[in-house]
Amino acid sequence: MAALDIVFAMPVPGSSGVIQLTVLYFAHLRDQRGLDSEIVSTTAADAQSLYRELAARHGLSLPEKSLIVAINEVMVRWDAPVHAGDTVVFLPPVSGG
Amino acid sequence: MAALDIVFAMPVPGSSGVIQLTVLYFAHLRDQRGLDSEIVSTTAADAQSLYRELAARHGLSLPEKSLIVAINEVMVRWDAPVHAGDTVVFLPPVSGG
Amino acid sequence: MDDFALTNQSIDVVAWRRRLDHPQAGGLAIFEGVVRNHHQGRAVRHLDYQGYAPLAVRTGSEILATARGRWPLLVALGCHRIGHLDIGEAAVWIGVASAHRAEAFAACAWIMDEVKARVPVWKRETYADGSVAWAQGSVVRLDPPG
Amino acid sequence: MDDFALTNQSIDVVAWRRRLDHPQAGGLAIFEGVVRNHHQGRAVRHLDYQGYAPLAVRTGSEILATARGRWPLLVALGCHRIGHLDIGEAAVWIGVASAHRAEAFAACAWIMDEVKARVPVWKRETYADGSVAWAQGSVVRLDPPG
């Protein structure tokens, strides 16, 4: 499978393994990423590592303290682990109403 | 005119004159009086005297402290004077909403 | 149309809501007082309201004007029903539009308190056993706080 | 129907209001947040909202459930619009029914505060000059007060 080939072609030192998960983007982050969602291959073990990786790769400017993380539709702490198949969302400051 | 004859047939000692005015009744007072409104001939000079006269005549039971007086659609004090042609209402405790 | 009305017809809450539209409005706070099937532990069958129409309209309008002076409101409206009301029918409707929601909520609640305290309307409750009673009510203050 | 919904259609405020009917209800408090033509001194042309639907519905429903625990409410409902909104359109609708009005007002205002603070919805303002900006917004708290 081509996707897996690519994943194994980008090993990251110190990782416990590469996983694929879905990241959804909203508001500022959607504008900066230029995508509503994507499948991400990552060696990140938790939400914080994942955000830092994506921020560095795509120039996401929102600081972690302005975001909250949701994994599989539940808001969680930054140190929550991420697993293969998860849907991860970094929620910018909300402005409903 | 018959009405005037009747008025002058019932002089009240100490009055400064007999006047006719309209009294409207609501809620408890309407039930007690058995009328929505009536033309009253009175020698009362102020709202308080008028109420005491009507209360005695018709057995109105609400105490003055539970009522407020309106003369010609304006709420007034008990010592407000009444004049011929006025519309006087003694408002029971209100219960809108 | 008057900003405050007394009506013996069903309150047209859709029409009243429409009158709150205002291009500068960001928040609309609306209160509906409806006939509930119980009062102080007794089952209520229906209500009958009487109102002294000209003074009710004047007093309601004064309350709305006072509210407009106390909060930066764009629109403030009210309507009270009189006559026979069944369970679930609207007895009173208050609606306020303002730029921000805090003043809309505050003004709407205050107007409703004042309407209950001052507008000459009287509620007679008919209970499940057929007995009737005038609601206890509030003695009207002559000089309300401005 | 869910008690809290996210919709990309006009909020049907008449249908939502109808869902507040309850024979024990004496007071209905309703809040509508509508698109106003100004924000912090700038003329606004229109808004576009994005929302993370499943989490928005879950978070809104949790807020309503918390409100039902804090006040004796008979009904508590909410709806948030997403997509393109013109001036005057309803962006959010909150409705509460209770036996007495004090808790209806208090719960309605609290729910609206919480919706603004926690429901994952984002507002982009388009100004009269054509420029756009995301509204400043609130950083979501992970553990809201129960």
Side-chain angles (χ1 to χ4, degrees):
Chain A
M1 286 163 51
L4 278 179
D5 288 347
I6 292 170
V7 168
F8 286 109
M10 303 191 301
V12 176
S15 78
S16 60
V18 175
I19 57 171
Q20 286 193 313
L21 42 72
T22 301
V23 177
L24 308 183
Y25 296 103
F26 292 97
H28 324 59
L29 295 180
R30 180 177 293 184
D31 292 347
Q32 293 179 353
R33 181 64 187 96
L35 287 173
D36 291 7
S37 67
E38 63 179 333
I39 308 292
V40 171
S41 295
T42 181
T43 58
D46 61 27
Q48 186 171 51
S49 305
L50 177 63
Y51 183 71
R52 290 179 179 176
E53 185 181 317
L54 293 168
R57 198 184 296 171
H58 303 299
L60 308 181
S61 71
L62 293 188
E64 287 161 36
K65 67 174 167 34
S66 79
L67 302 170
I68 190 164
V69 187
I71 299 181
N72 302 330
E73 304 173 7
V74 176
M75 295 182 194
V76 295
R77 293 157 45 110
W78 279 101
D79 59 4
V82 294
H83 301 101
D86 281 352
T87 296
V88 182
V89 190
F90 303 101
L91 306 167
V94 300
S95 51
Chain B
M1 286 163 54
L4 278 178
D5 288 347
I6 291 169
V7 168
F8 285 110
M10 302 191 301
V12 176
S15 79
S16 59
V18 175
I19 57 169
Q20 286 194 313
L21 42 72
T22 301
V23 177
L24 309 183
Y25 297 102
F26 292 97
H28 325 59
L29 296 180
R30 180 177 294 185
D31 293 347
Q32 293 179 354
R33 181 65 188 95
L35 288 173
D36 290 8
S37 67
E38 64 180 333
I39 308 292
V40 172
S41 295
T42 182
T43 58
D46 61 26
Q48 185 171 51
S49 304
L50 176 63
Y51 183 71
R52 290 178 178 177
E53 186 181 317
L54 294 168
R57 196 184 297 171
H58 304 300
L60 308 182
S61 71
L62 293 188
E64 288 162 33
K65 67 175 168 29
S66 78
L67 302 171
I68 190 163
V69 188
I71 300 180
N72 301 332
E73 304 173 9
V74 176
M75 296 182 194
V76 295
R77 293 156 46 109
W78 279 101
D79 60 3
V82 295
H83 301 101
D86 281 352
T87 296
V88 182
V89 190
F90 303 100
L91 305 167
V94 299
S95 50
Chain C
M1 285 183 70
D2 287 325
D3 286 349
F4 192 93
L6 207 65
T7 178
N8 57 8
Q9 307 291 316
S10 289
I11 297 176
D12 184 346
V13 298
V14 175
W16 281 95
R17 157 65 188 83
R18 201 175 298 125
R19 290 182 61 194
L20 293 178
D21 282 339
H22 191 293
Q24 292 169 40
L28 315 182
I30 296 167
F31 178 78
E32 272 184 54
V34 297
V35 180
R36 62 174 187 263
N37 64 3
H38 60 102
H39 180 63
Q40 295 180 343
R42 298 189 68 179
V44 171
R45 185 187 294 169
H46 66 258
L47 299 184
D48 291 273
Y49 282 94
Q50 291 176 9
Y52 179 26
L55 188 58
V57 169
R58 175 177 298 178
T59 305
S61 299
E62 287 171 358
I63 291 167
L64 297 175
T66 303
R68 286 188 203 98
R70 287 179 61 153
W71 291 277
L73 308 180
L74 298 163
V75 191
L77 303 169
C79 182
H80 204 295
R81 174 84 179 275
I82 53 174
H84 178 96
L85 277 79
D86 289 315
I87 306 302
E89 287 198 87
V92 60
W93 183 97
I94 305 295
V96 171
S98 59
H100 302 283
R101 73 188 184 286
E103 58 259 29
F105 275 119
C108 188
W110 182 86
I111 290 166
M112 187 58 209
D113 287 347
E114 288 294 298
V115 165
K116 282 184 78 84
R118 296 182 52 212
V119 172
V121 168
W122 298 273
K123 170 168 57 182
R124 192 182 67 176
E125 298 177 319
T126 298
Y127 303 103
D129 63 6
S131 64
V132 301
W134 290 101
Q136 186 169 0
S138 308
V139 178
V140 177
R141 294 163 284 131
L142 182 58
D143 296 307
Chain D
M1 284 183 70
D2 287 326
D3 287 349
F4 193 93
L6 206 66
T7 179
N8 58 9
Q9 307 291 316
S10 288
I11 296 176
D12 185 345
V13 299
V14 175
W16 282 95
R17 157 65 188 83
R18 202 175 297 126
R19 289 182 62 194
L20 293 178
D21 282 340
H22 191 293
Q24 293 169 39
L28 314 183
I30 295 167
F31 178 79
E32 271 184 56
V34 297
V35 180
R36 61 175 187 265
N37 65 3
H38 61 101
H39 180 63
Q40 295 180 339
R42 297 188 69 179
V44 170
R45 185 187 293 170
H46 65 259
L47 300 185
D48 290 272
Y49 282 94
Q50 290 176 8
Y52 179 25
L55 188 58
V57 169
R58 173 177 299 178
T59 305
S61 300
E62 286 170 0
I63 291 166
L64 297 175
T66 302
R68 287 189 202 99
R70 287 179 61 154
W71 291 277
L73 308 181
L74 298 164
V75 191
L77 303 170
C79 183
H80 204 295
R81 174 84 179 275
I82 54 174
H84 178 96
L85 277 78
D86 289 314
I87 305 302
E89 287 198 86
V92 59
W93 183 96
I94 305 294
V96 171
S98 58
H100 303 282
R101 72 188 184 287
E103 57 260 30
F105 275 119
C108 188
W110 182 87
I111 290 166
M112 187 57 209
D113 286 347
E114 288 294 298
V115 165
K116 284 184 77 85
R118 296 181 52 214
V119 172
V121 169
W122 298 273
K123 170 167 56 183
R124 193 182 66 177
E125 298 176 320
T126 299
Y127 302 103
D129 63 7
S131 62
V132 301
W134 290 101
Q136 185 168 0
S138 308
V139 178
V140 177
R141 295 162 284 130
L142 183 56
D143 297 304

